[in-house]
DNA sequence: AGGAAATAGTTTAGGCATAAAATAACTGGA
DNA sequence: TCCAGTTATTTTATGCCTAAACTATTTCCT
C-alpha cells in the first residue's frame, strides 16, 4: 500500500476515495476533540470552583498517589505526556503549597525525587473522589454496557497512532 | 437511580459498585484524553514545522472556509468552544498576516464581520489537505470499517455530556 | 586524568486558554 | 429624552504548553 503523505493520489480514479477516507478520519478527529474539550472544560471549571485547583496539578498528584516512595521528577513528563519545562513551575507551586516534597538524590545530584506529603495525599483523595463522581455524572446517559467497547476502540486508536509515530520517528 | 454527586454512597453494599462505575468512567476519560493529546501534539508539531502555523489559527480559517460571505465575529467562540477573549489576539494576527479581513458592521457598530481573503483561502486549502492526510496517516492502522461505529459512539458521548451540562445549568 | 557526549532539570520567548472586569454601542421603557 | 439593562468585543491577570537554549552533573572513551 502506498503511503499517502501530503495529498491524495491525483493520478487515478482513487482520488475521490482518498478524499472520502480523509473525511472519515477527520470526522473521527473532530469528534474526539469535541468530546475531550467538552469534558475537559467542565472538569476544569469544577476543579477551580470547588477546590481552587487546576487539572495539571491534579494530574501530577495522581501520578504520585500510587508511588509511596516517590517518583523521579523526570518520570513525570513521560507519564503525563507534557514537556519537562512545563512541569517546573507546576511542581514548584505544589511544593510551595505543601502538597509534595522535592528532594535531590544523593546518588546523582541532577536527579530529584518528588513525593506526596500526608496533607497532599489527603487532599488528593478528596479531589479524586469528586473527579470520579463528576465523570460518572457527565457520562451517566451513555449506556454502561457500551463503555468497555468504546474504551477498547480508543485503545486501538491509541495503539495505531503510537505505531504510526514510531514508524515516522525511525525515518 | 440516585444521582451520585459528590461521593459514592457510603451507607451500603453499593459503595463498591459505585466505585467500580467511577473507575469505568474514569478509564474512558483517560483514554479520550490520551488519544486526543497524542494526535493533537503531532498535528501541532506538523503545523508548526510545515507551515509555521498553529491549530487555533487553522480552526478559525476552517470555520470561515464554508462562509463565503463571512461570519460575525461573535459566532466564532460558540463554534470553536473557546472564550471570546481568547480569539481577539488570534484574529488580530490573522488580519495582520492578510488571511482574513475584519469589517465593522454598519447596522450595529459593535459587530464585526470577518471574512477570508483570497490568499487566506488558498493557504487554508493547502493546509487542510495536509491536515486530512496527516490524520489518515496517523489513523491508518485503525480498521476503516470500525470508523463509523467509533464516531457514532463518540457522538453519543458528546450528546450525553451536553445533556448533563444542560441539566445542571438549569439548577 | 581529561574532555566530548549524554542526561536532568531550569529558563526564556511566544502562543493559547480561562475568568472577570472594562469599554462601547444598542435597546427598551418611564 | 434619559437611563437601566443587554450585547459585542477587548483588556487584564493568571496559568498551561511548547521549543529551544542553557546550566549542572555524570558517563564514557581514549
Amino acid at each position: 500500500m502506498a503511503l499517502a503523505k501530503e495529498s491524495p493520489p491525483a493520478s487515478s480514479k482513487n482520488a475521490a476515495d482518498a478524499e472520502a477516507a480523509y473525511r472519515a478520519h477527520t470526522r473521527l478527529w473532530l469528534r474526539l476533540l469535541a468530546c475531550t474539550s467538552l469534558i475537559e472544560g467542565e472538569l476544569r471549571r469544577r476543579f477551580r470552583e470547588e477546590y481552587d485547583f487546576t487539572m495539571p496539578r491534579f494530574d501530577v498528584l495522581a501520578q504520585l498517589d500510587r508511588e509511596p516512595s516517590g517518583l523521579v521528577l523526570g518520570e513525570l513528563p513521560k507519564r503525563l505526556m507534557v514537556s519537562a519545562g512545563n512541569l517546573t513551575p507546576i511542581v514548584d507551586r505544589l511544593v510551595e503549597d505543601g502538597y509534595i516534597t522535592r528532594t535531590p538524590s544523593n546518588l546523582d545530584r541532577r536527579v530529584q525525587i518528588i513525593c506526596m506529603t500526608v496533607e497532599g495525599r489527603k487532599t488528593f483523595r478528596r479531589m479524586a473522589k469528586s473527579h470520579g463522581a463528576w465523570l460518572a455524572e457527565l457520562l451517566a446517559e451513555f449506556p454502561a454496557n457500551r463503555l468497555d467497547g468504546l474504551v477498547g476502540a480508543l485503545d486501538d486508536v491509541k495503539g495505531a497512532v503510537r505505531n504510526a509515530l514510531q514508524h515516522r520517528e525511525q525515518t
Side-chain angles (χ1 to χ4, degrees), chain A:
Chain A
M1 200 209 300
L3 238 179
K5 286 190 73 169
E6 279 301 323
S7 39
S11 52
S12 69
K13 67 185 164 70
N14 288 11
D17 290 1
E19 287 289 356
Y22 285 14
R23 267 199 297 278
H25 289 121
T26 301
R27 200 160 19 237
L28 173 56
W29 168 235
L30 293 177
R31 291 315 183 287
L32 268 174
L33 200 54
C35 287
T36 301
S37 35
L38 210 55
I39 297 173
E40 185 173 15
E42 183 66 11
L43 291 181
R44 181 200 335 245
R45 201 176 63 75
R46 296 193 188 187
F47 265 122
R48 193 179 50 82
E49 288 186 358
E50 316 249 322
Y51 294 107
D52 193 22
F53 222 73
T54 64
M55 287 187 53
R57 285 159 62 86
F58 177 78
D59 292 341
V60 169
L61 295 190
Q63 289 305 319
L64 256 45
D65 185 49
R66 296 277 181 141
E67 306 282 348
S69 53
L71 203 61
V72 168
L73 177 50
E75 267 297 302
L76 279 182
K78 295 173 199 167
R79 298 202 188 180
L80 299 175
M81 304 205 299
V82 299
S83 62
N86 185 14
L87 281 172
T88 297
I90 293 174
V91 166
D92 282 350
R93 280 214 45 194
L94 287 172
V95 170
E96 275 174 38
D97 296 350
Y99 296 117
I100 66 178
T101 58
R102 187 211 254 129
T103 322
S105 158
N106 37 17
L107 296 174
D108 182 339
R109 270 172 301 173
R110 293 169 306 179
V111 172
Q112 303 188 5
I113 316 287
I114 60 179
C115 193
M116 194 129 54
T117 63
V118 173
E119 184 56 30
R121 208 169 288 270
K122 210 155 49 180
T123 304
F124 170 75
R125 290 278 162 82
R126 201 155 35 86
M127 291 191 294
K129 206 168 275 187
S130 293
H131 180 257
W134 293 336
L135 285 171
E137 180 195 338
L138 292 174
L139 296 169
E141 207 179 273
F142 186 81
N145 62 350
R146 292 173 63 197
L147 280 174
D148 286 349
L150 179 48
V151 168
L154 291 174
D155 277 336
D156 293 342
V157 167
K158 186 170 143 190
V161 176
R162 267 202 207 293
N163 283 349
L165 291 180
Q166 195 131 27
H167 229 262
R168 157 163 289 259
E169 207 158 291
Q170 292 163 356
T171 308

